[in-house]
């Protein structure tokens, strides 16, 4: 019971907690112990004596009117006293005054000591868990790294990240990835949960677009310092991704900075993503122009944006040469799917009678006499 302020400071230093929060946890432990060994219906308060550095337990009794309903409630009655009874002890007492009775837990022997020990352990542990929870809750969407400690029968990978163990479910792994105990891997924090039974659980992901963005920030200094901003990103993990970037400096090329000289930066990120192809696109807030860029490598003739009743962009109707349709759709529809994910719009393709020449320029098809003239010219 002695020098409780020193104990709070020592626990805070050992656990990396603020001494003020530790002290509040200790005060709660004292109150709960007093309720357990003295009376659960008493109103207790833990008061710190700055001189002795101890915590003392004070029972507080509030003075109320003789006809106050709380005096009739069995559970709350011990916390109140009628003004008539109170004036038997002090004739100067008034309504709302509080009478205080000191209690010393040491008077309750080993039962109180062991109970207090358990309460302190419990509340300090809760405080530690709260601190860890808040720390990692603020890291959702950010990059972490750690060492693989276990892979279970469901292929969930358990990773030791700093002072806590996180899990990378199989659904959040890139297709074809295999991890073994001892491997060091990177991932982003996807979700942080806490419950009384299992404590804190942290779920990681390598399939989230946030993982791609975090890797780019790690690899591209211009993104890290804010010169280049990642406006939007979309992925089909392990296959292909599209990233829309914007430069905040007139002399910095957003796409060039992200790709790097001879693609060295983007290739480094792609290697971490098991060869995922990454398309970098310059972002614009002009929806028609943005859609045409997102549909690359297909060459687009015209884009019409259809808005919904709320005035939001809902659908993009794209007109394109017939020989560009397969490029627009992509293998297994991957290009159009990524374009829809990146723009947030449904995409409809309409073929025109145009074609593209060797230089990538759009030309109209020549029919009838025009076709014959072109044939013999």
């Amino acid at each position: 019971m002695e020098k409780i302020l020193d104990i709070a400071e020592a626990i805070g230093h050992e656990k990396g907690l603020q001494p003020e929060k530790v002290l509040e946890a200790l005060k709660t432990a004292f109150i709960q112990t007093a309720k357990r060994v003295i009376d659960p219906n008493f109103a207790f308060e833990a008061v710190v004596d700055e001189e002795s550095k101890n915590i003392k337990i004070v029972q507080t009794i509030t003075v109320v009117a003789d006809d106050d309903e709380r005096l009739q409630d069995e559970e709350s009655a011990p916390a109140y006293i009628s003004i008539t009874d109170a004036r038997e002890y002090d004739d100067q007492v008034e309504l709302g005054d509080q009478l205080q009775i000191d209690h010393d837990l040491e008077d309750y022997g080993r039962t109180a000591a062991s109970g207090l020990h358990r309460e302190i352990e419990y509340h300090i542990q809760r405080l530690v868990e709260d601190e860890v929870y808040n720390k990692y809750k603020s890291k959702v969407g950010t990059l972490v790294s750690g060492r693989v400690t276990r892979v279970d029968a469901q292929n969930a990978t358990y990773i030791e990240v700093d002072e806590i163990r996180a899990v990378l479910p199989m659904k959040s792994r890139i297709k074809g990835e295999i991890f073994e105990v001892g491997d060091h891997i990177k991932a982003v924090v996807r979700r942080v949960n806490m419950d009384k039974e299992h404590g804190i659980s942290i779920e990681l992901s390598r399939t989230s677009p946030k993982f791609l963005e975090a890797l780019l920030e790690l690899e591209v200094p211009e993104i890290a310092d804010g010169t280049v901003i990642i406006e939007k990103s979309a992925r089909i993990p392990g296959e292909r991704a599209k990233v829309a970037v914007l430069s905040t400096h007139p002399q910095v090329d957003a796409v060039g900075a992200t790709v790097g000289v001879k693609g060295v930066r983007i290739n480094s990120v792609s290697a971490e993503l098991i060869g995922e192809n990454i398309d970098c696109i310059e972002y614009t807030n002009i929806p028609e122009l943005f859609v045409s860029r997102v549909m690359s490598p297909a060459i687009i003739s015209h884009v019409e944006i259809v808005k919904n009743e709320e005035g939001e962009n809902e659908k993009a109707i794209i007109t394109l040469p017939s020989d560009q349709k397969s490029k627009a759709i992509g293998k297994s529809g991957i290009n159009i799917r990524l374009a829809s994910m990146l723009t947030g719009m449904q995409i409809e393709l309409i073929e025109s009678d145009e074609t593209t020449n060797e230089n990538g320029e759009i030309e109209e098809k020549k029919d009838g006499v025009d076709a014959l003239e072109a044939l013999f010219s």
Side-chain angles (χ1 to χ4, degrees):
M1 300 288 185
E2 296 180 357
K3 298 182 179 180
I4 200 69
L5 295 184
D6 292 340
I7 294 174
E9 188 174 342
I11 293 175
H13 179 74
E14 179 186 347
K15 303 287 187 180
L17 304 170
Q18 296 179 9
E20 297 80 11
K21 291 185 177 180
V22 175
L23 182 58
E24 287 302 315
L26 292 176
K27 289 165 72 174
T28 302
F30 270 75
I31 292 172
Q32 294 300 323
T33 303
K35 284 182 173 291
R36 193 182 302 275
V37 300
I38 301 174
D39 192 316
N41 296 321
F42 284 0
F44 292 108
E45 183 181 354
V47 180
V48 177
D49 188 330
E50 297 290 346
E51 291 185 5
S52 65
K53 295 186 177 181
N54 294 336
I55 288 180
K56 61 181 181 179
I57 293 294
V58 177
Q59 179 189 351
T60 303
I61 304 176
T62 305
V63 179
V64 297
D66 292 340
D67 58 352
D68 195 296
E69 294 180 355
R70 289 172 290 186
L71 293 171
Q72 309 305 319
D73 189 324
E74 291 185 4
E75 292 187 2
S76 62
Y80 302 95
I81 187 172
S82 68
I83 190 167
T84 300
D85 292 339
R87 282 180 175 168
E88 292 182 6
Y89 300 97
D90 183 354
D91 59 5
Q92 303 297 318
V93 75
E94 299 291 341
L95 289 174
D97 287 352
Q98 290 185 328
L99 307 180
Q100 294 186 328
I101 303 171
D102 290 344
H103 291 272
D104 191 342
L105 290 181
E106 290 185 352
D107 295 339
Y108 295 87
R110 296 177 64 181
T111 302
S114 60
L116 180 59
H117 182 266
R118 287 193 300 270
E119 286 289 339
I120 289 176
E121 278 192 335
Y122 173 80
H123 289 287
I124 293 299
Q125 183 60 31
R126 295 288 81 75
L127 186 58
V128 170
E129 288 182 356
D130 286 342
E131 289 290 313
V132 174
Y133 175 78
N134 292 330
K135 173 184 175 180
Y136 283 94
K137 191 71 175 176
S138 65
K139 287 188 175 184
V140 170
T142 62
L143 189 69
V144 295
S145 61
R147 184 178 64 88
V148 175
T149 58
R150 185 167 70 92
V151 180
D152 66 16
Q154 287 74 41
N155 280 320
T157 306
Y158 293 87
I159 303 159
E160 191 177 79
V161 179
D162 296 332
E163 73 273 28
I164 200 163
R165 190 172 69 168
V167 61
L168 176 68
M170 185 175 181
K171 65 179 181 180
S172 297
R173 270 180 9 193
I174 299 172
K175 185 178 179 181
E177 285 186 321
I178 298 175
F179 298 118
E180 297 179 353
V181 174
D183 290 347
H184 285 266
I185 65 174
K186 299 184 183 76
V188 291
V189 179
R190 180 169 182 249
R191 187 184 294 116
V192 181
N193 295 317
M194 183 168 66
D195 59 58
K196 293 181 180 179
E197 184 178 352
H198 300 99
I200 299 173
S201 61
I202 298 177
E203 183 180 331
L204 305 180
S205 174
R206 286 175 57 86
T207 57
S208 165
K210 289 291 183 182
F211 183 49
L212 168 60
E213 294 178 15
L215 290 174
L216 286 170
E217 183 177 350
L218 194 66
E219 192 67 33
V220 182
E222 289 83 354
I223 294 177
D225 65 21
T227 305
V228 174
I229 299 172
I230 300 175
E231 288 287 347
K232 296 183 178 182
S233 64
R235 293 178 65 195
I236 296 177
E239 297 186 44
R240 192 169 173 185
K242 288 181 182 285
V243 182
V245 291
L246 178 67
S247 173
T248 60
H249 194 286
Q251 295 182 344
V252 175
D253 174 17
V255 174
T258 305
V259 172
V261 178
K262 296 182 179 180
V264 64
R265 292 175 174 176
I266 206 73
N267 288 340
S268 178
V269 174
S270 177
E272 177 68 32
L273 301 177
I274 320 299
E276 192 170 303
N277 292 318
I278 306 169
D279 297 338
C280 284
I281 303 149
E282 186 176 3
Y283 177 78
T284 173
N285 56 11
I286 302 172
E288 292 83 358
L289 180 56
F290 184 52
V291 169
S292 68
R293 290 175 178 175
V294 167
M295 291 303 296
S296 174
I299 299 172
I300 306 303
S301 303
H302 178 71
V303 177
E304 179 186 351
I305 303 297
V306 179
K307 298 181 181 292
N308 58 20
E309 295 179 355
E310 288 76 28
E312 300 171 341
N313 298 333
E314 183 179 42
K315 186 178 182 180
I317 301 174
I318 297 174
T319 304
L320 74 173
S322 57
D323 61 350
Q324 294 296 308
K325 186 175 181 180
S326 60
K327 292 182 181 179
I329 295 173
K331 183 181 178 181
S332 302
I334 195 169
N335 195 61
I336 196 169
R337 285 164 59 197
L338 284 171
S340 182
M341 292 161 64
L342 201 63
T343 60
M345 290 184 275
Q346 299 178 25
I347 294 178
E348 179 182 330
L349 302 180
I350 298 177
E351 295 182 62
S352 68
D353 292 333
E354 301 167 324
T355 58
T356 52
N357 59 25
E358 295 179 355
N359 298 321
E361 297 171 340
I362 298 175
E363 295 180 342
E364 293 186 3
K365 285 185 178 179
K366 296 184 177 182
D367 299 319
V369 176
D370 290 339
L372 290 172
E373 289 179 353
L375 180 63
F376 292 100
S377 61

